[in-house]
Amino acid sequence: MKFAIGITVAILSLCAVSCRNSSAIFSGDEVLARVGRKQFSTSDINAVLPKGLTGADSADYVDAYVEKWIIKQLKLQEAELMFSSSAADIDRMVDDYRQSLLIRKIEQYYLDTEMHSDVTDEEIEAYYDSHRGDFRLTKSIVKGRIVAVGENYRRREQLLRFMASPKKEESRDFEELCRKNNMRLTTFDEWVDFTEFLSNLPVLRSMSYDSYLSKRGVQQIHHDRTYYCFQITDALVEGDMMPLFMARDNIRRILINQRQGEVLHAREENIMRSALENGNARIFCEEKSGRQPET
């Protein structure tokens, strides 16, 4: 729906002027729209009109903006009529919100000027060591490797023996056999979610495979003429202590939040003490009770 606001022709006729003088699309200060006693003028639209708009684009933008302004004013009129009995509560809420905004701005100023946000690895590790019970896994994670071996591969038993061996030489022999025979070998030297590990195996998502987690030998799944040979070299299950690398970002946030609290608390104490000393603040209830105000 478009309101008949009668400004499009004026915009188009002034297009040439706006191209020569981009500082304002209107000269003077004419009223473009009125709702009740409130008016929207050319100076108002000039303040919000994006630079670079010309011709029909300028006209469309002004039409849409003025239409939104009219709808906004009509909604406000309706709200003031319907909720006039709640005016005091609304004023209080607006004042509370304004105060909250100002307090957040001054607190952010304190933090910007007085706080350093650098957190060292030593601080993170110290917090981790002293709060080990706070960092528990919510899902299982593993390390390991998976190789897909065709069912006709004759040296599969030897391959599996090399795969299971703790000797470095035989582990290298295993990798060399995989490479020479173009076998798909997937290695997880770093911790990964158990579900990610399972995504490389022909398993059903609807079933549980937690029994795999307790075995450290080579396990196999035969599917579609292929043996999927896999070995879980290490595993942590739900409820186990979380490795430091997984807790690091959370600990950093905790330490920064602690510092923010310390900075704000120290500043609050300083401004309170200063105001009491210079007489800008006074605590009457403590005077009546005979207590001495803290300084």
Side-chain angles (χ1 to χ4, degrees):
M1 179 183 67
K2 285 289 184 181
F3 286 96
I5 53 180
I7 59 174
T8 301
V9 175
I11 292 290
L12 293 175
S13 65
L14 289 168
C15 178
V17 176
S18 67
C19 292
R20 292 193 300 269
N21 180 13
S22 59
S23 62
I25 196 165
F26 288 108
S27 60
D29 193 14
E30 303 173 12
V31 175
L32 300 179
R34 178 183 291 109
V35 175
R37 296 182 179 180
K38 294 187 178 181
Q39 297 182 157
F40 188 85
S41 65
T42 53
S43 61
D44 296 319
I45 196 63
N46 282 330
V48 298
L49 189 67
K51 294 181 179 179
L53 286 183
T54 58
D57 290 338
S58 295
D60 291 342
Y61 181 89
V62 176
D63 278 349
Y65 197 95
V66 174
E67 180 178 320
K68 289 180 180 178
W69 180 87
I70 292 173
I71 292 172
K72 178 182 177 180
Q73 302 308 314
L74 292 173
K75 284 183 177 180
L76 287 172
Q77 272 191 356
E78 185 177 13
E80 288 172 355
L81 288 172
M82 291 180 64
F83 308 118
S84 58
S85 60
S86 306
D89 290 338
I90 293 173
D91 289 342
R92 178 185 53 77
M93 292 169 61
V94 170
D95 189 53
D96 288 347
Y97 181 65
R98 176 180 177 278
Q99 292 180 22
S100 297
L101 285 177
L102 289 171
I103 289 173
R104 281 202 294 270
K105 286 183 70 69
I106 193 62
E107 288 181 344
Q108 189 60 52
Y109 171 78
Y110 296 155
L111 296 175
D112 291 342
T113 56
E114 300 179 23
M115 179 181 157
H116 70 91
S117 58
D118 295 332
V119 178
T120 66
D121 290 340
E122 291 76 13
E123 289 173 318
I124 292 175
E125 291 171 11
Y127 188 92
Y128 176 78
D129 289 337
S130 60
H131 296 79
R132 286 176 175 267
D134 296 342
F135 301 101
R136 298 291 178 180
L137 289 169
T138 58
K139 54 189 175 183
S140 299
I141 58 176
V142 299
K143 294 180 182 180
R145 52 189 176 177
I146 302 170
V147 61
V149 184
E151 64 180 5
N152 295 325
Y153 181 65
R154 296 181 179 180
R155 300 177 64 184
R156 182 164 57 87
E157 293 301 323
Q158 183 186 32
L159 180 76
L160 297 183
R161 188 175 69 253
F162 286 163
M163 185 178 186
S165 175
K167 297 179 181 179
K168 292 183 178 179
E169 313 87 67
E170 293 189 344
S171 181
R172 284 194 295 268
D173 291 339
F174 163 73
E175 293 176 358
E176 183 65 14
L177 278 176
C178 293
R179 186 185 64 80
K180 285 183 177 180
N181 292 277
N182 295 318
M183 297 175 184
R184 188 173 73 252
L185 173 63
T186 306
T187 302
F188 300 93
D189 292 327
E190 303 294 336
W191 291 108
V192 296
D193 290 351
F194 185 40
T195 52
E196 181 179 345
F197 185 88
L198 290 175
S199 68
N200 293 273
L201 296 173
V203 295
L204 300 174
R205 292 186 179 182
S206 58
M207 295 183 62
S208 172
Y209 297 92
D210 289 348
S211 59
Y212 293 161
L213 295 170
S214 59
K215 301 175 183 178
R216 293 296 175 267
V218 177
Q219 305 177 72
Q220 301 180 64
I221 298 176
H222 186 242
H223 175 74
D224 194 22
R225 304 183 66 181
T226 302
Y227 284 95
Y228 291 84
C229 308
F230 62 97
Q231 182 183 28
I232 295 175
T233 57
D234 205 353
L236 293 172
V237 300
E238 181 180 348
D240 285 344
M241 192 173 71
M242 184 183 297
L244 176 58
F245 84 94
M246 295 181 68
R248 188 176 296 276
D249 289 343
N250 190 26
I251 293 174
R252 178 176 284 105
R253 285 191 292 270
I254 291 171
L255 293 176
I256 289 175
N257 287 337
Q258 286 182 350
R259 289 182 185 174
Q260 290 177 340
E262 291 166 359
V263 167
L264 295 177
H265 181 67
R267 173 59 78 138
E268 288 169 358
E269 287 188 334
N270 287 338
I271 61 175
M272 180 73 166
R273 181 171 54 252
S274 177
L276 291 172
E277 289 174 353
N278 63 30
N280 188 38
R282 189 172 176 182
I283 305 176
F284 295 100
C285 57
E286 290 187 348
E287 293 177 0
K288 292 180 181 180
S289 65
R291 291 177 55 191
Q292 295 297 319
E294 298 179 4
T295 58

